[in-house]
Amino acid sequence: MRSGEDSTIDIRYRGEPGHVISGTVKLAGTNGASVALTQAGNSIPFANTFQPESSRGFTFTELGDGDYDLIAQELASNPNATTTPSFSVSEPKRVSVKGADVTGVELLTRPLSSISGKIALEPSKAPECQGKRPPLFAEMVVRLQKPETEKDKEDMLTLRFLTSSASPDANGAFQLRNLVSGKYQFEPRFYARYWYLQSITTTTGTPKPQKFDAAANWTTVKSGEQLSNLTITLAQGAASIRGRVVVQEGAPAPAMSLYLVPAEPDKTNDVLRYFVSDVAEDMTFTFNNLPPGRYLTYLDTQTTTLKKFRQPEAAPERLKVRRSAETKKNEIELKPCQNLTDYQLKP
């Protein structure tokens, strides 16, 4: 309601008595647990209660017949000024009320997952890059991505507890807490013109750990798993391009995307060497934070985002664009820390 408005509310009482859902949360710690109650299929709780450590359980009263979901949340670590608190949660439990109370419900909390890692900085020895502003950890953030198919199936647990980002500390270390099981990719955000994202890796296997390309693949996190071997490497030497697509005077300007794909054979599987930029109405385009090297350009009327273009499911699309670019043979080479301006590209 807005200030000064009046409203009329009709309240109707149902003829049958309400029912009870009661049970117990098996606590792992000493902080007690909150219990949320939702209508089945709805992610927004309409009732909450709290079970203290010394309590025998929890109770919801005055409930009508129907299906309900219960979920318990327990604080696993005490929050402070610098650390995000960790939670333990239960799987959602479906309860059906049909003309009688439902008692004896048990909810068991388990710690949520986490991914911790570090951001490594790799300076360049190229003379052109000396004295350039380095990225600052205080200006960085690591964001999470999930597959589009999983976003469509997000349940109450995902919506309540998914952590979307984390910031590194003064040493570059970060931790993504309170994650539900699923597949993730990582999107580091940083502000430094002459630096680029070189790699995102984890290590797998023992006794001889092997590097896993977390930029080209989803990282699967199991329930309660605590991963701690993620490394995001930023390298100095990034180049940039500012240019224009040259079209005939008076010709219509269709919506287009400009792709950059790696020209070096040993870089074709490196998804971090694939870029896409929208071509503006005045036919200009911009690329920033590009790794130095050789690229092929390709114009296409089909548009996409860089985020989608780099996902594992987009491998056939990247291959198609690269093969189309190879037929055009329009190659460009970028030197470390080069700013290429007024670049003219013919379709």
Side-chain angles (χ1 to χ4, degrees), residues 230-268:
L230 178 68
T231 301
I232 297 174
T233 301
L234 305 180
Q236 190 179 26
S240 65
I241 304 174
R242 301 182 188 279
R244 180 187 301 272
V245 178
V246 180
V247 296
Q248 293 181 355
E249 186 175 353
M256 289 190 296
S257 289
L258 176 59
Y259 295 86
L260 291 183
V261 300
E264 294 106 335
D266 62 330
K267 302 295 184 182
T268 56

mmCIF file of all heavy atoms in Angstrom, residues 230-268:
data_model
loop_
_atom_site.group_PDB
_atom_site.id
_atom_site.type_symbol
_atom_site.label_atom_id
_atom_site.label_comp_id
_atom_site.label_asym_id
_atom_site.label_seq_id
_atom_site.Cartn_x
_atom_site.Cartn_y
_atom_site.Cartn_z
ATOM 1 N N LEU A 230 41.215 -24.505 -6.778
ATOM 2 C CA LEU A 230 40.919 -23.701 -7.955
ATOM 3 C C LEU A 230 41.939 -22.568 -8.084
ATOM 4 O O LEU A 230 42.210 -21.863 -7.116
ATOM 5 C CB LEU A 230 39.507 -23.128 -7.861
ATOM 6 C CG LEU A 230 39.046 -22.220 -9.012
ATOM 7 C CD1 LEU A 230 38.880 -23.035 -10.283
ATOM 8 C CD2 LEU A 230 37.733 -21.528 -8.650
ATOM 9 N N THR A 231 42.496 -22.403 -9.276
ATOM 10 C CA THR A 231 43.447 -21.327 -9.536
ATOM 11 C C THR A 231 43.003 -20.536 -10.761
ATOM 12 O O THR A 231 42.800 -21.112 -11.838
ATOM 13 C CB THR A 231 44.867 -21.858 -9.774
ATOM 14 O OG1 THR A 231 45.308 -22.587 -8.623
ATOM 15 C CG2 THR A 231 45.836 -20.706 -10.032
ATOM 16 N N ILE A 232 42.830 -19.243 -10.577
ATOM 17 C CA ILE A 232 42.499 -18.332 -11.666
ATOM 18 C C ILE A 232 43.735 -17.474 -11.931
ATOM 19 O O ILE A 232 44.196 -16.763 -11.030
ATOM 20 C CB ILE A 232 41.295 -17.445 -11.309
ATOM 21 C CG1 ILE A 232 40.051 -18.311 -11.092
ATOM 22 C CG2 ILE A 232 41.047 -16.399 -12.394
ATOM 23 C CD1 ILE A 232 38.853 -17.533 -10.592
ATOM 24 N N THR A 233 44.273 -17.559 -13.143
ATOM 25 C CA THR A 233 45.512 -16.854 -13.465
ATOM 26 C C THR A 233 45.216 -15.691 -14.401
ATOM 27 O O THR A 233 44.621 -15.868 -15.475
ATOM 28 C CB THR A 233 46.532 -17.796 -14.132
ATOM 29 O OG1 THR A 233 46.806 -18.891 -13.244
ATOM 30 C CG2 THR A 233 47.831 -17.050 -14.421
ATOM 31 N N LEU A 234 45.628 -14.500 -13.977
ATOM 32 C CA LEU A 234 45.555 -13.301 -14.803
ATOM 33 C C LEU A 234 46.971 -12.960 -15.262
ATOM 34 O O LEU A 234 47.903 -12.961 -14.452
ATOM 35 C CB LEU A 234 44.967 -12.123 -14.020
ATOM 36 C CG LEU A 234 43.598 -12.333 -13.368
ATOM 37 C CD1 LEU A 234 43.174 -11.059 -12.644
ATOM 38 C CD2 LEU A 234 42.564 -12.748 -14.385
ATOM 39 N N ALA A 235 47.129 -12.692 -16.551
ATOM 40 C CA ALA A 235 48.455 -12.416 -17.099
ATOM 41 C C ALA A 235 48.508 -11.007 -17.664
ATOM 42 O O ALA A 235 47.521 -10.481 -18.192
ATOM 43 C CB ALA A 235 48.812 -13.430 -18.181
ATOM 44 N N GLN A 236 49.686 -10.399 -17.565
ATOM 45 C CA GLN A 236 49.891 -9.070 -18.124
ATOM 46 C C GLN A 236 50.210 -9.184 -19.614
ATOM 47 O O GLN A 236 50.755 -10.194 -20.075
ATOM 48 C CB GLN A 236 51.043 -8.370 -17.407
ATOM 49 C CG GLN A 236 51.199 -6.908 -17.742
ATOM 50 C CD GLN A 236 52.353 -6.270 -16.981
ATOM 51 O OE1 GLN A 236 53.289 -6.939 -16.591
ATOM 52 N NE2 GLN A 236 52.280 -4.966 -16.778
ATOM 53 N N GLY A 237 49.849 -8.146 -20.364
ATOM 54 C CA GLY A 237 50.143 -8.132 -21.790
ATOM 55 C C GLY A 237 48.916 -8.017 -22.666
ATOM 56 O O GLY A 237 49.013 -8.168 -23.893
ATOM 57 N N ALA A 238 47.754 -7.751 -22.067
ATOM 58 C CA ALA A 238 46.513 -7.704 -22.840
ATOM 59 C C ALA A 238 46.537 -6.587 -23.874
ATOM 60 O O ALA A 238 47.050 -5.500 -23.630
ATOM 61 C CB ALA A 238 45.320 -7.525 -21.903
ATOM 62 N N ALA A 239 45.942 -6.867 -25.023
ATOM 63 C CA ALA A 239 45.797 -5.890 -26.094
ATOM 64 C C ALA A 239 44.331 -5.483 -26.219
ATOM 65 O O ALA A 239 43.450 -6.070 -25.576
ATOM 66 C CB ALA A 239 46.298 -6.474 -27.407
ATOM 67 N N SER A 240 44.061 -4.491 -27.056
ATOM 68 C CA SER A 240 42.685 -4.046 -27.285
ATOM 69 C C SER A 240 42.530 -3.647 -28.753
ATOM 70 O O SER A 240 43.501 -3.313 -29.427
ATOM 71 C CB SER A 240 42.329 -2.867 -26.382
ATOM 72 O OG SER A 240 43.115 -1.726 -26.698
ATOM 73 N N ILE A 241 41.282 -3.709 -29.222
ATOM 74 C CA ILE A 241 40.971 -3.328 -30.604
ATOM 75 C C ILE A 241 39.741 -2.428 -30.580
ATOM 76 O O ILE A 241 38.738 -2.740 -29.931
ATOM 77 C CB ILE A 241 40.657 -4.550 -31.490
ATOM 78 C CG1 ILE A 241 41.802 -5.558 -31.477
ATOM 79 C CG2 ILE A 241 40.354 -4.119 -32.917
ATOM 80 C CD1 ILE A 241 41.472 -6.840 -32.226
ATOM 81 N N ARG A 242 39.832 -1.330 -31.300
ATOM 82 C CA ARG A 242 38.679 -0.465 -31.546
ATOM 83 C C ARG A 242 38.626 -0.223 -33.047
ATOM 84 O O ARG A 242 39.605 0.196 -33.648
ATOM 85 C CB ARG A 242 38.793 0.860 -30.796
ATOM 86 C CG ARG A 242 38.896 0.684 -29.291
ATOM 87 C CD ARG A 242 38.952 2.005 -28.566
ATOM 88 N NE ARG A 242 39.247 1.806 -27.159
ATOM 89 C CZ ARG A 242 38.366 1.463 -26.235
ATOM 90 N NH1 ARG A 242 37.097 1.290 -26.596
ATOM 91 N NH2 ARG A 242 38.711 1.291 -24.976
ATOM 92 N N GLY A 243 37.480 -0.525 -33.645
ATOM 93 C CA GLY A 243 37.424 -0.404 -35.093
ATOM 94 C C GLY A 243 36.017 -0.249 -35.625
ATOM 95 O O GLY A 243 35.064 0.019 -34.883
ATOM 96 N N ARG A 244 35.910 -0.433 -36.930
ATOM 97 C CA ARG A 244 34.641 -0.217 -37.624
ATOM 98 C C ARG A 244 34.517 -1.221 -38.766
ATOM 99 O O ARG A 244 35.508 -1.534 -39.451
ATOM 100 C CB ARG A 244 34.591 1.218 -38.169
ATOM 101 C CG ARG A 244 33.315 1.574 -38.925
ATOM 102 C CD ARG A 244 33.451 2.958 -39.559
ATOM 103 N NE ARG A 244 33.718 3.970 -38.551
ATOM 104 C CZ ARG A 244 32.752 4.621 -37.885
ATOM 105 N NH1 ARG A 244 31.471 4.324 -38.129
ATOM 106 N NH2 ARG A 244 33.060 5.530 -36.992
ATOM 107 N N VAL A 245 33.299 -1.698 -38.970
ATOM 108 C CA VAL A 245 33.009 -2.540 -40.121
ATOM 109 C C VAL A 245 32.687 -1.619 -41.296
ATOM 110 O O VAL A 245 31.800 -0.764 -41.192
ATOM 111 C CB VAL A 245 31.828 -3.494 -39.845
ATOM 112 C CG1 VAL A 245 31.509 -4.320 -41.084
ATOM 113 C CG2 VAL A 245 32.151 -4.412 -38.670
ATOM 114 N N VAL A 246 33.411 -1.781 -42.382
ATOM 115 C CA VAL A 246 33.248 -0.915 -43.549
ATOM 116 C C VAL A 246 32.157 -1.490 -44.452
ATOM 117 O O VAL A 246 32.282 -2.618 -44.954
ATOM 118 C CB VAL A 246 34.566 -0.785 -44.331
ATOM 119 C CG1 VAL A 246 34.372 0.127 -45.549
ATOM 120 C CG2 VAL A 246 35.665 -0.244 -43.432
ATOM 121 N N VAL A 247 31.075 -0.744 -44.625
ATOM 122 C CA VAL A 247 29.981 -1.163 -45.502
ATOM 123 C C VAL A 247 29.782 -0.104 -46.579
ATOM 124 O O VAL A 247 30.232 1.041 -46.445
ATOM 125 C CB VAL A 247 28.674 -1.364 -44.703
ATOM 126 C CG1 VAL A 247 28.823 -2.502 -43.705
ATOM 127 C CG2 VAL A 247 28.274 -0.080 -43.981
ATOM 128 N N GLN A 248 29.110 -0.479 -47.634
ATOM 129 C CA GLN A 248 28.851 0.458 -48.713
ATOM 130 C C GLN A 248 27.946 1.584 -48.239
ATOM 131 O O GLN A 248 27.043 1.371 -47.435
ATOM 132 C CB GLN A 248 28.206 -0.265 -49.898
ATOM 133 C CG GLN A 248 29.111 -1.262 -50.591
ATOM 134 C CD GLN A 248 28.424 -1.929 -51.775
ATOM 135 O OE1 GLN A 248 27.244 -1.709 -52.026
ATOM 136 N NE2 GLN A 248 29.182 -2.732 -52.507
ATOM 137 N N GLU A 249 28.207 2.765 -48.729
ATOM 138 C CA GLU A 249 27.422 3.929 -48.327
ATOM 139 C C GLU A 249 25.953 3.730 -48.709
ATOM 140 O O GLU A 249 25.634 3.360 -49.838
ATOM 141 C CB GLU A 249 27.973 5.189 -48.993
ATOM 142 C CG GLU A 249 27.301 6.464 -48.517
ATOM 143 C CD GLU A 249 27.942 7.698 -49.105
ATOM 144 O OE1 GLU A 249 28.991 7.551 -49.777
ATOM 145 O OE2 GLU A 249 27.399 8.793 -48.893
ATOM 146 N N GLY A 250 25.080 3.961 -47.737
ATOM 147 C CA GLY A 250 23.654 3.796 -47.961
ATOM 148 C C GLY A 250 23.148 2.393 -47.747
ATOM 149 O O GLY A 250 21.934 2.158 -47.764
ATOM 150 N N ALA A 251 24.038 1.420 -47.554
ATOM 151 C CA ALA A 251 23.615 0.040 -47.341
ATOM 152 C C ALA A 251 23.045 -0.103 -45.936
ATOM 153 O O ALA A 251 23.493 0.564 -44.998
ATOM 154 C CB ALA A 251 24.792 -0.910 -47.532
ATOM 155 N N PRO A 252 22.032 -0.959 -45.749
ATOM 156 C CA PRO A 252 21.466 -1.163 -44.411
ATOM 157 C C PRO A 252 22.501 -1.783 -43.485
ATOM 158 O O PRO A 252 23.403 -2.509 -43.919
ATOM 159 C CB PRO A 252 20.291 -2.103 -44.665
ATOM 160 C CG PRO A 252 20.634 -2.812 -45.941
ATOM 161 C CD PRO A 252 21.380 -1.811 -46.762
ATOM 162 N N ALA A 253 22.370 -1.509 -42.206
ATOM 163 C CA ALA A 253 23.305 -2.031 -41.208
ATOM 164 C C ALA A 253 22.586 -3.094 -40.375
ATOM 165 O O ALA A 253 21.909 -2.778 -39.394
ATOM 166 C CB ALA A 253 23.810 -0.903 -40.309
ATOM 167 N N PRO A 254 22.698 -4.371 -40.748
ATOM 168 C CA PRO A 254 22.026 -5.429 -39.995
ATOM 169 C C PRO A 254 22.699 -5.654 -38.648
ATOM 170 O O PRO A 254 23.865 -5.303 -38.450
ATOM 171 C CB PRO A 254 22.186 -6.650 -40.901
ATOM 172 C CG PRO A 254 23.460 -6.395 -41.649
ATOM 173 C CD PRO A 254 23.496 -4.904 -41.866
ATOM 174 N N ALA A 255 21.943 -6.252 -37.726
ATOM 175 C CA ALA A 255 22.529 -6.610 -36.434
ATOM 176 C C ALA A 255 23.575 -7.691 -36.660
ATOM 177 O O ALA A 255 23.313 -8.712 -37.302
ATOM 178 C CB ALA A 255 21.437 -7.098 -35.484
ATOM 179 N N MET A 256 24.758 -7.451 -36.164
ATOM 180 C CA MET A 256 25.858 -8.384 -36.390
ATOM 181 C C MET A 256 26.689 -8.551 -35.124
ATOM 182 O O MET A 256 26.696 -7.697 -34.241
ATOM 183 C CB MET A 256 26.762 -7.884 -37.526
ATOM 184 C CG MET A 256 26.153 -7.961 -38.904
ATOM 185 S SD MET A 256 27.378 -7.616 -40.202
ATOM 186 C CE MET A 256 27.781 -5.910 -39.835
ATOM 187 N N SER A 257 27.385 -9.676 -35.080
ATOM 188 C CA SER A 257 28.385 -9.929 -34.056
ATOM 189 C C SER A 257 29.714 -10.176 -34.750
ATOM 190 O O SER A 257 29.766 -10.797 -35.824
ATOM 191 C CB SER A 257 28.015 -11.133 -33.189
ATOM 192 O OG SER A 257 26.924 -10.841 -32.348
ATOM 193 N N LEU A 258 30.779 -9.690 -34.134
ATOM 194 C CA LEU A 258 32.123 -9.920 -34.650
ATOM 195 C C LEU A 258 32.833 -10.894 -33.724
ATOM 196 O O LEU A 258 32.897 -10.670 -32.509
ATOM 197 C CB LEU A 258 32.904 -8.608 -34.739
ATOM 198 C CG LEU A 258 34.367 -8.724 -35.186
ATOM 199 C CD1 LEU A 258 34.469 -9.373 -36.565
ATOM 200 C CD2 LEU A 258 35.037 -7.355 -35.182
ATOM 201 N N TYR A 259 33.333 -11.973 -34.310
ATOM 202 C CA TYR A 259 34.015 -13.009 -33.544
ATOM 203 C C TYR A 259 35.515 -12.928 -33.763
ATOM 204 O O TYR A 259 35.980 -12.662 -34.876
ATOM 205 C CB TYR A 259 33.532 -14.398 -33.958
ATOM 206 C CG TYR A 259 32.074 -14.670 -33.638
ATOM 207 C CD1 TYR A 259 31.067 -14.305 -34.524
ATOM 208 C CD2 TYR A 259 31.717 -15.291 -32.446
ATOM 209 C CE1 TYR A 259 29.733 -14.558 -34.231
ATOM 210 C CE2 TYR A 259 30.387 -15.542 -32.143
ATOM 211 C CZ TYR A 259 29.405 -15.172 -33.038
ATOM 212 O OH TYR A 259 28.091 -15.416 -32.745
ATOM 213 N N LEU A 260 36.265 -13.175 -32.705
ATOM 214 C CA LEU A 260 37.698 -13.403 -32.781
ATOM 215 C C LEU A 260 37.952 -14.829 -32.336
ATOM 216 O O LEU A 260 37.519 -15.246 -31.251
ATOM 217 C CB LEU A 260 38.465 -12.446 -31.862
ATOM 218 C CG LEU A 260 38.512 -10.953 -32.216
ATOM 219 C CD1 LEU A 260 39.393 -10.222 -31.204
ATOM 220 C CD2 LEU A 260 39.027 -10.732 -33.623
ATOM 221 N N VAL A 261 38.665 -15.595 -33.172
ATOM 222 C CA VAL A 261 39.005 -16.975 -32.834
ATOM 223 C C VAL A 261 40.509 -17.149 -32.996
ATOM 224 O O VAL A 261 41.144 -16.453 -33.805
ATOM 225 C CB VAL A 261 38.243 -17.982 -33.712
ATOM 226 C CG1 VAL A 261 36.743 -17.818 -33.528
ATOM 227 C CG2 VAL A 261 38.610 -17.810 -35.179
ATOM 228 N N PRO A 262 41.122 -18.036 -32.252
ATOM 229 C CA PRO A 262 42.578 -18.178 -32.314
ATOM 230 C C PRO A 262 43.024 -18.735 -33.660
ATOM 231 O O PRO A 262 42.444 -19.673 -34.201
ATOM 232 C CB PRO A 262 42.890 -19.154 -31.170
ATOM 233 C CG PRO A 262 41.615 -19.909 -30.952
ATOM 234 C CD PRO A 262 40.520 -18.949 -31.263
ATOM 235 N N ALA A 263 44.083 -18.137 -34.196
ATOM 236 C CA ALA A 263 44.642 -18.595 -35.469
ATOM 237 C C ALA A 263 45.732 -19.637 -35.260
ATOM 238 O O ALA A 263 45.981 -20.458 -36.148
ATOM 239 C CB ALA A 263 45.204 -17.412 -36.257
ATOM 240 N N GLU A 264 46.406 -19.609 -34.099
ATOM 241 C CA GLU A 264 47.451 -20.596 -33.832
ATOM 242 C C GLU A 264 46.823 -21.968 -33.583
ATOM 243 O O GLU A 264 45.882 -22.088 -32.789
ATOM 244 C CB GLU A 264 48.289 -20.204 -32.628
ATOM 245 C CG GLU A 264 49.111 -18.941 -32.825
ATOM 246 C CD GLU A 264 48.522 -17.761 -32.070
ATOM 247 O OE1 GLU A 264 47.303 -17.789 -31.808
ATOM 248 O OE2 GLU A 264 49.271 -16.832 -31.764
ATOM 249 N N PRO A 265 47.301 -23.020 -34.245
ATOM 250 C CA PRO A 265 46.721 -24.359 -34.073
ATOM 251 C C PRO A 265 46.730 -24.852 -32.631
ATOM 252 O O PRO A 265 45.807 -25.552 -32.201
ATOM 253 C CB PRO A 265 47.607 -25.243 -34.971
ATOM 254 C CG PRO A 265 48.151 -24.310 -35.999
ATOM 255 C CD PRO A 265 48.357 -23.007 -35.280
ATOM 256 N N ASP A 266 47.759 -24.476 -31.860
ATOM 257 C CA ASP A 266 47.843 -24.969 -30.486
ATOM 258 C C ASP A 266 46.914 -24.221 -29.535
ATOM 259 O O ASP A 266 46.842 -24.554 -28.351
ATOM 260 C CB ASP A 266 49.281 -24.881 -29.965
ATOM 261 C CG ASP A 266 49.802 -23.448 -29.925
ATOM 262 O OD1 ASP A 266 49.363 -22.638 -30.774
ATOM 263 O OD2 ASP A 266 50.625 -23.134 -29.047
ATOM 264 N N LYS A 267 46.188 -23.214 -30.033
ATOM 265 C CA LYS A 267 45.275 -22.449 -29.187
ATOM 266 C C LYS A 267 43.800 -22.734 -29.496
ATOM 267 O O LYS A 267 42.917 -22.158 -28.866
ATOM 268 C CB LYS A 267 45.526 -20.946 -29.351
ATOM 269 C CG LYS A 267 46.947 -20.494 -29.029
ATOM 270 C CD LYS A 267 47.278 -20.690 -27.564
ATOM 271 C CE LYS A 267 48.667 -20.132 -27.258
ATOM 272 N NZ LYS A 267 49.046 -20.354 -25.833
ATOM 273 N N THR A 268 43.520 -23.616 -30.439
ATOM 274 C CA THR A 268 42.142 -23.803 -30.888
ATOM 275 C C THR A 268 41.233 -24.374 -29.796
ATOM 276 O O THR A 268 40.021 -24.173 -29.834
ATOM 277 C CB THR A 268 42.092 -24.728 -32.114
ATOM 278 O OG1 THR A 268 42.732 -25.976 -31.795
ATOM 279 C CG2 THR A 268 42.779 -24.081 -33.301
#
